[in-house]
mmCIF file of all heavy atoms in Angstrom:
data_model
loop_
_atom_site.group_PDB
_atom_site.id
_atom_site.type_symbol
_atom_site.label_atom_id
_atom_site.label_comp_id
_atom_site.label_asym_id
_atom_site.label_seq_id
_atom_site.Cartn_x
_atom_site.Cartn_y
_atom_site.Cartn_z
ATOM 1 N N MET N 218 -207.305 -27.574 -383.076
ATOM 2 C CA MET N 218 -207.557 -29.013 -383.040
ATOM 3 C C MET N 218 -208.534 -29.368 -384.157
ATOM 4 O O MET N 218 -209.231 -28.507 -384.686
ATOM 5 C CB MET N 218 -208.237 -29.388 -381.720
ATOM 6 C CG MET N 218 -207.468 -29.075 -380.466
ATOM 7 S SD MET N 218 -208.597 -29.142 -379.020
ATOM 8 C CE MET N 218 -209.625 -30.555 -379.428
ATOM 9 N N LYS N 220 -211.972 -30.884 -385.072
ATOM 10 C CA LYS N 220 -213.258 -31.152 -384.430
ATOM 11 C C LYS N 220 -213.746 -32.549 -384.772
ATOM 12 O O LYS N 220 -213.616 -32.967 -385.916
ATOM 13 C CB LYS N 220 -214.306 -30.206 -385.001
ATOM 14 C CG LYS N 220 -214.640 -29.037 -384.155
ATOM 15 C CD LYS N 220 -215.819 -28.329 -384.756
ATOM 16 C CE LYS N 220 -215.419 -26.957 -385.202
ATOM 17 N NZ LYS N 220 -216.570 -26.050 -385.287
ATOM 18 N N GLN N 265 -216.264 -38.361 -380.924
ATOM 19 C CA GLN N 265 -215.673 -38.238 -379.592
ATOM 20 C C GLN N 265 -216.745 -38.574 -378.570
ATOM 21 O O GLN N 265 -217.915 -38.227 -378.741
ATOM 22 C CB GLN N 265 -215.170 -36.807 -379.376
ATOM 23 C CG GLN N 265 -214.557 -36.602 -378.000
ATOM 24 C CD GLN N 265 -213.787 -35.288 -377.897
ATOM 25 O OE1 GLN N 265 -213.415 -34.698 -378.905
ATOM 26 N NE2 GLN N 265 -213.546 -34.828 -376.680
ATOM 27 N N SER N 268 -218.218 -38.146 -371.066
ATOM 28 C CA SER N 268 -219.176 -38.388 -369.983
ATOM 29 C C SER N 268 -219.556 -37.035 -369.380
ATOM 30 O O SER N 268 -218.795 -36.071 -369.467
ATOM 31 C CB SER N 268 -218.559 -39.293 -368.920
ATOM 32 O OG SER N 268 -217.404 -38.692 -368.380
ATOM 33 N N GLY N 270 -221.982 -34.600 -366.312
ATOM 34 C CA GLY N 270 -222.780 -34.485 -365.101
ATOM 35 C C GLY N 270 -224.237 -34.650 -365.487
ATOM 36 O O GLY N 270 -224.571 -34.845 -366.658
ATOM 37 N N MET N 272 -227.760 -34.577 -366.833
ATOM 38 C CA MET N 272 -228.329 -33.815 -367.949
ATOM 39 C C MET N 272 -229.810 -33.528 -367.739
ATOM 40 O O MET N 272 -230.510 -33.100 -368.657
ATOM 41 C CB MET N 272 -228.059 -34.524 -369.276
ATOM 42 C CG MET N 272 -226.602 -34.366 -369.704
ATOM 43 S SD MET N 272 -226.303 -34.549 -371.473
ATOM 44 C CE MET N 272 -226.070 -36.314 -371.587
ATOM 45 N N GLY N 287 -228.212 -33.274 -382.208
ATOM 46 C CA GLY N 287 -229.088 -33.043 -381.065
ATOM 47 C C GLY N 287 -230.091 -34.157 -380.862
ATOM 48 O O GLY N 287 -231.252 -33.916 -380.541
ATOM 49 N N LYS D 75 -236.347 -29.936 -376.056
ATOM 50 C CA LYS D 75 -234.912 -29.812 -376.257
ATOM 51 C C LYS D 75 -234.461 -28.376 -376.033
ATOM 52 O O LYS D 75 -235.147 -27.444 -376.440
ATOM 53 C CB LYS D 75 -234.594 -30.097 -377.729
ATOM 54 C CG LYS D 75 -234.061 -31.456 -378.000
ATOM 55 C CD LYS D 75 -233.590 -31.502 -379.436
ATOM 56 C CE LYS D 75 -234.415 -32.501 -380.210
ATOM 57 N NZ LYS D 75 -233.691 -32.996 -381.395
ATOM 58 N N GLN D 120 -229.137 -25.055 -372.056
ATOM 59 C CA GLN D 120 -228.859 -25.968 -370.948
ATOM 60 C C GLN D 120 -227.355 -26.023 -370.756
ATOM 61 O O GLN D 120 -226.586 -26.011 -371.719
ATOM 62 C CB GLN D 120 -229.402 -27.361 -371.273
ATOM 63 C CG GLN D 120 -229.134 -28.372 -370.158
ATOM 64 C CD GLN D 120 -229.932 -29.656 -370.322
ATOM 65 O OE1 GLN D 120 -230.924 -29.686 -371.056
ATOM 66 N NE2 GLN D 120 -229.523 -30.712 -369.662
ATOM 67 N N SER D 123 -221.907 -30.001 -367.147
ATOM 68 C CA SER D 123 -220.477 -30.191 -366.895
ATOM 69 C C SER D 123 -220.065 -31.558 -367.438
ATOM 70 O O SER D 123 -220.890 -32.461 -367.550
ATOM 71 C CB SER D 123 -220.182 -30.098 -365.400
ATOM 72 O OG SER D 123 -220.902 -31.090 -364.705
ATOM 73 N N GLY D 125 -216.820 -34.736 -368.197
ATOM 74 C CA GLY D 125 -215.511 -35.315 -367.969
ATOM 75 C C GLY D 125 -214.537 -34.687 -368.962
ATOM 76 O O GLY D 125 -214.928 -33.864 -369.796
ATOM 77 N N MET D 127 -212.552 -33.410 -371.897
ATOM 78 C CA MET D 127 -212.893 -33.367 -373.317
ATOM 79 C C MET D 127 -211.653 -33.438 -374.206
ATOM 80 O O MET D 127 -211.720 -33.196 -375.411
ATOM 81 C CB MET D 127 -213.746 -32.135 -373.627
ATOM 82 C CG MET D 127 -215.181 -32.328 -373.123
ATOM 83 S SD MET D 127 -216.408 -31.314 -373.962
ATOM 84 C CE MET D 127 -216.342 -29.808 -372.997
ATOM 85 N N GLY D 142 -221.359 -26.420 -382.447
ATOM 86 C CA GLY D 142 -220.044 -27.040 -382.374
ATOM 87 C C GLY D 142 -218.921 -26.028 -382.256
ATOM 88 O O GLY D 142 -217.868 -26.192 -382.847
ATOM 89 N N ILE D 172 -210.798 -23.036 -380.469
ATOM 90 C CA ILE D 172 -209.667 -23.955 -380.446
ATOM 91 C C ILE D 172 -209.844 -25.088 -381.434
ATOM 92 O O ILE D 172 -208.967 -25.919 -381.610
ATOM 93 C CB ILE D 172 -209.452 -24.538 -379.039
ATOM 94 C CG1 ILE D 172 -210.698 -25.309 -378.573
ATOM 95 C CG2 ILE D 172 -209.091 -23.445 -378.052
ATOM 96 C CD1 ILE D 172 -210.485 -26.125 -377.322
#
Side-chain angles (χ1 to χ4, degrees):
Chain N
M218 300 164 39
K220 259 188 245 203
Q265 179 167 341
S268 60
M272 285 203 272
Chain D
K75 259 189 244 204
Q120 179 167 342
S123 60
M127 285 203 273
I172 60 169

